[in-house]
């Protein structure tokens, strides 16, 4: 049952976006975007810089306030004024281009913190889950390292472990490999592939075309604040229907 601000777990798409608009001053960055994301889907969002990809992700958990339209997560309208956005955000994990780790906390400490503060887990339970998730992302031997002692790729994997420790229903990834040296990218992508194989619902903004081809259930190409086309990776990469998509892919593949 859908509700504006309750705790419903609706059937149908886990994320439903309708007529989403976002303006920054006079600039319209998103123009009536519609999108459904089914449970367990991996939707990869492609497009040139400034096309609205990151803004779309940031609207889903209301880091950006939509100018118009509706966003629904599991039957809750995310951008309804009465919605408890903190409750909604407990269901959404987000990993950014910058790792946003606390430099004075170890890897384990970074993964512990939100569990204790937001989910009010006991120290013992939060620690068990932190160690579990760090092991999951291949950092079981780095739990007591501080961010400065870790490579960029390892820091990004700590950020993923931190998001996973909150038991999210959806994971949002915003260009998570773009700040990494090429040799560090693979480790992060391998973690994301493993999540996809485990059935995690994911929205991924990326320029990693190999990852998109291999892992995405659906590829969405955006330009100028609109969805230009979408389909299976094979359809979008191998047989794009629109000139703008062909031009974009021609420059990066």
């Amino acid at each position: 049952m859908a509700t504006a601000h309750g705790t419903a777990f609706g059937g149908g798409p886990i994320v439903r976006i309708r007529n989403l608009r976002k303006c920054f001053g006079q600039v319209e960055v998103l123009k009536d975007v519609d999108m459904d994301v089914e449970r367990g889907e991996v939707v990869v969002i492609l497009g040139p810089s400034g096309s609205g990809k990151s803004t779309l992700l940031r609207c889903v958990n209301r880091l950006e306030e939509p100018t118009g339209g509706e966003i629904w997560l599991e039957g809750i309208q995310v951008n309804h004024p009465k919605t408890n956005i903190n409750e909604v955000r407990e269901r959404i994990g987000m990993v950014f281009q910058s790792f946003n780790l606390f430099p004075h906390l170890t890897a384990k400490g970074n993964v512990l913190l939100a569990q204790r503060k937001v989910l009010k887990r006991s120290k013992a339970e939060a620690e068990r889950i932190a160690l579990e998730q760090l092991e999951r992302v291949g950092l079981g031997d780095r739990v007591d390292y501080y961010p400065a002692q870790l490579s960029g790729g390892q820091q990004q994997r700590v950020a993923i472990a931190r998001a996973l420790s909150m038991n999210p229903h959806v994971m949002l990834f915003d260009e998570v490999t773009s700040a990494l040296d090429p040799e560090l990218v693979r480790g992060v992508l391998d973690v994301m592939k493993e999540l996809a194989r485990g059935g995690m619902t994911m929205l991924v903004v990326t320029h990693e075309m190999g990852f998109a081809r291999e892992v995405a259930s659906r590829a969405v190409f955006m330009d100028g604040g609109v969805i230009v086309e979408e389909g299976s990776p094979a359809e979008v990469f191998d047989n794009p229907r629109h000139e703008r998509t062909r031009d974009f892919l021609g420059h990066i593949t």
Side-chain angles (χ1 to χ4, degrees):
M1 177 180 157
T3 174
H5 50 86
T7 57
F9 286 70
I14 188 168
V15 177
R16 187 158 54 92
I17 298 170
R18 291 292 179 271
N19 305 116
L20 179 62
R21 293 178 58 245
K22 176 61 184 177
C23 300
F24 293 103
Q26 299 300 307
V27 181
E28 194 174 23
V29 179
L30 295 174
K31 306 170 183 177
D32 289 321
V33 172
D34 290 344
M35 182 188 290
D36 286 344
V37 180
E38 301 296 334
R39 200 173 296 274
E41 247 195 320
V42 178
V43 178
V44 170
I45 305 171
L46 313 168
S49 295
S51 57
K53 312 181 299 294
S54 293
T55 302
L56 174 61
L57 280 199
R58 292 171 67 86
C59 284
V60 170
N61 65 357
R62 248 175 69 193
L63 288 175
E64 296 290 356
E65 197 67 48
T67 304
E70 296 180 352
I71 300 170
W72 295 78
L73 173 73
E74 296 182 313
I76 299 172
Q77 188 181 341
V78 174
N79 61 322
H80 190 282
K82 291 186 178 176
T83 293
N84 180 344
I85 190 59
N86 292 323
E87 181 187 306
V88 170
R89 285 180 182 148
E90 287 177 16
R91 306 181 189 188
I92 303 173
M94 185 155 187
V95 185
F96 301 87
Q97 179 178 335
S98 54
F99 321 124
N100 295 337
L101 300 180
F102 291 104
H104 64 290
L105 296 177
T106 62
K108 182 175 74 175
N110 269 281
V111 181
L112 272 171
L113 188 64
Q115 297 183 66
R116 299 275 284 138
K117 296 280 189 193
V118 178
L119 299 183
K120 308 299 184 192
R121 285 178 178 151
S122 70
K123 186 177 179 187
E125 185 188 12
E127 186 158 319
R128 176 183 61 79
I129 290 167
L131 294 175
E132 234 170 58
Q133 297 301 343
L134 286 165
E135 185 71 41
R136 184 179 183 181
V137 300
L139 293 175
D141 59 343
R142 296 285 190 276
V143 298
D144 293 322
Y145 284 50
Y146 289 89
Q149 299 172 300
L150 299 171
S151 71
Q154 290 168 335
Q155 290 183 60
Q156 193 58 287
R157 284 186 275 156
V158 173
I160 293 172
R162 177 177 57 188
L164 292 174
S165 74
M166 306 296 284
N167 295 336
H169 302 185
V170 180
M171 284 284 284
L172 310 178
F173 292 92
D174 189 11
E175 297 279 20
V176 296
T177 58
S178 63
L180 300 179
D181 292 333
E183 67 269 22
L184 301 177
V185 168
R186 178 178 292 179
V188 174
L189 293 180
D190 284 347
V191 169
M192 293 169 67
K193 289 174 187 175
E194 197 57 46
L195 290 179
R197 282 192 285 270
M200 175 64 75
T201 308
M202 295 159 60
L203 273 81
V204 184
V205 171
T206 187
H207 286 296
E208 297 290 340
M209 296 302 125
F211 171 84
R213 278 180 177 273
E214 182 182 344
V215 178
S217 323
R218 183 155 44 105
V220 173
F221 175 69
M222 291 185 70
D223 195 15
V226 300
I227 293 176
V228 176
E229 72 176 288
E230 60 182 306
S232 71
E235 289 167 338
V236 172
F237 286 111
D238 300 331
N239 191 27
R241 298 186 304 276
H242 292 268
E243 183 62 39
R244 277 190 288 177
T245 317
R246 285 195 290 272
D247 184 58
F248 175 75
L249 293 172
H251 281 93
I252 61 167
T253 55

